Amino acid sequence: MSKKRKSKDGKIRKEDNFQYPDNRNIFFYLTLGLSFLISFVVYVLTLAPSVTFEDSGELITAAVHLGVPHEPGYPLYTMLGKLFSWLPVGDMAYRLNLMSAFFSSLAAILVCRSTILIIESLSRNDLDSLQIRIIKYCIGLFAALVFAFSFENWEQSVITEVYGLHMFFVGLFVMLVVLWSQKLTMLEKEKYFYTIAFSTGLSLTNHSTALLFIPVFVLYVLIVDYTFLLNLKRIGRGILAGVLGLLPLLYLPLASLRDPVLDWGNPETFTNFIRTISRHQYTELAQTSEKFLNGLQFYFGKLLLDQWFSFLLLLLIPASIDLYKHNRKILYFSLLFLLFYVPVTTYLTDFEVVGKGFYFNLNRLLVTVFYIPSYLMISVLMGIGIFYVIGLLKNTNQKFGMLGVFMILPFIVLTMNYKTVDMSKFTYPTTYLNNLFNVVTKDALVLTQIDYFYFPAMYYQVVEGNRTDVTVLDQPLLKRTWYIDMLKEHNKEFINESKPAVEKFLKAVAPFEARKPYDGNYIESCYIGMINSFIDQTIANGRDVFFTYLPQKEILRNYALESVLGAYKLNKGNTFTFVKEEELKLNEFRGLSEDDPLLVRTVSDFYGSLHILRATWYEGEGLTDKALEYYKSGLEFYLEKPEVRKFANQKIMVLGQHQ
């Protein structure tokens, strides 16, 4: 039997086998409110108290000073981040962490709304309107919370990252497509089409993977209503709406013209602007079938199973059956969405995830975030699966009993992931920075090797204004001319001390950046020469040089490395620097295991190596007791390289026999 609804013009129109309620009631708004409130409260309870590793420090610095972070520049995120930096709570890092929590909670609302919309399209003659209302609202809340508490989404919602805002746009896209599919008149469809186009453009100014919205939607429309795309005027208006959404990209050259303290890629010229938004820096790798298959195996064999209880994925089976029977349009859309956000994403991200060591561990860490949109869609489908299962039951008590069981599951997922995701006591980066700057002398030079440890230092100095006397450089970034240009602008005196070497490198690297023939060996020689000039000039001027990693021999040269427990200090000869160990907080990094975060383990390994190096000095001076103490202390940290642990154990055995 067909059902009817009133359109906005008051006319009654017939629809296939179902009606779409307007949901303008207190229970509907309460459900949406709970989707946001429960998610947001949990996120705030587990929110990182300050800066974290990875891109956190860089994004905060860019937002606070209206600069340009790494490609593709994230202009929308940066501008919104500036607004959140004005919140009168916590430090700047905490405020930007709150931004992630806020937008992720909004995404939960959109998941809830999308699930309810789809359920309303699934005919159920055996349920009265009150039952449908209760069931669909509860299931909408279920889907919202299951997504909110999925491991990876939750993890990105409690730190400063772009994925909270990205998930908001992904959720918005899903909801708008569902609404578009439910409209009957061309006027209504056009309205949602233009909204989809505009929001897609806007979302692209936050995260480049939003580009996948376009093929998903176009292919979906070709399948369900290809005539919609035959109107050139309509397509033209859609393109215009998308272009209007891209307007925040203009922020990049305008911000760069100001020469901010962070000006990644220097996008004030047309060439640099295109390179920035096209992620030019990250297009060097080549995909292989082996990497692609390894990536898929990593997703299906680990990542997907890590998000929730694996048995929840069984709900995708009844969801597919229900959609096939009652709404194939949404089935096609969900399959297209998952196609692009799983295999296509795997192909495009191009990470090698099989292997041992820091490089492969880091790849696995980096690739996980690109699959979060798939968890959003799967959460919606889980809700549809529950609706189908409940619909198979005839007894009302059984239906609501089953519904109650399912409603408990998101909170079980919450407890399952809580301990691992909880960042409320994550003070590792702050402790690491305090240890580093406690041992670094006045006006010193500090060289770092990995962005994820350089960015917290950037935040520490540029945003919080601590130890601004110290020059901290990221060695890999010194290969980029924009980075050197930024240093010229904001650390002119330091760069001028090594001006000949700097200019020589810039001249050598120019053909490479212009994609012209170049001499790689010569570029590398000039690059090492520039770094060596920085070091030599610093020491010649009576200042100290420190490393947060072991430099290659071409940089170390005739210098020696000394452990000052918070960093490696560069010097000549067999020297010893007294360290006030009571001022260092190293215990936080002791006793870690493989279950602890990769970058925290990396810092722990760093401290372990520093202790063992200091032990070798004591041993060389004949101070056996002190050497033994530091060898043993070094083993209390997580040591990534087995040979280092083996070396320390051998030393302990030998020195112990001589006591």
Side-chain angles (χ1 to χ4, degrees), residues 52-60 70 160-161 451-452 455:
T52 61
F53 293 123
E54 301 184 56
D55 298 330
S56 170
E58 178 212 14
L59 292 171
I60 299 165
H70 67 276
T160 296
E161 256 298 352
D451 294 350
Y452 300 147
F455 291 151

Side-chain angles (χ1 to χ4, degrees), residues 54-83 96 99-100 103 156 160-167 169 201-211 245-253 255-256 262-267 272-282 349 351 366 369-370 451-452 455 482:
E54 301 184 56
D55 298 330
S56 170
E58 178 212 14
L59 292 171
I60 299 165
T61 303
V64 172
H65 291 279
L66 289 177
V68 180
H70 67 276
E71 298 171 359
Y74 307 103
L76 182 62
Y77 179 90
T78 303
M79 290 186 285
L80 290 172
K82 180 65 175 180
L83 297 179
L96 271 291
M99 177 177 167
S100 294
F103 281 105
Q156 296 299 310
T160 296
E161 256 298 352
V162 299
Y163 295 99
L165 182 58
H166 183 45
M167 286 309 103
F169 280 113
L202 193 61
S203 61
L204 276 168
T205 67
N206 173 66
H207 203 276
S208 56
T209 58
L211 192 66
L246 292 172
L247 285 178
L249 290 177
L250 295 177
Y251 164 86
L252 296 175
S256 183
L262 179 60
D263 192 10
W264 197 296
N266 196 22
N272 288 349
F273 173 74
I274 296 300
R275 286 182 172 184
T276 297
I277 64 175
S278 64
R279 294 173 59 88
H280 173 82
Q281 179 179 330
Y282 304 108
T349 50
F351 285 103
L366 292 173
V369 293
F370 291 99
D451 294 350
Y452 300 147
F455 291 151
W482 66 264

Side-chain angles (χ1 to χ4, degrees), residues 502-515:
V502 171
E503 296 303 322
K504 184 178 180 181
F505 168 72
L506 291 176
K507 186 176 180 180
V509 81
F512 169 77
E513 294 195 339
R515 298 204 167 182

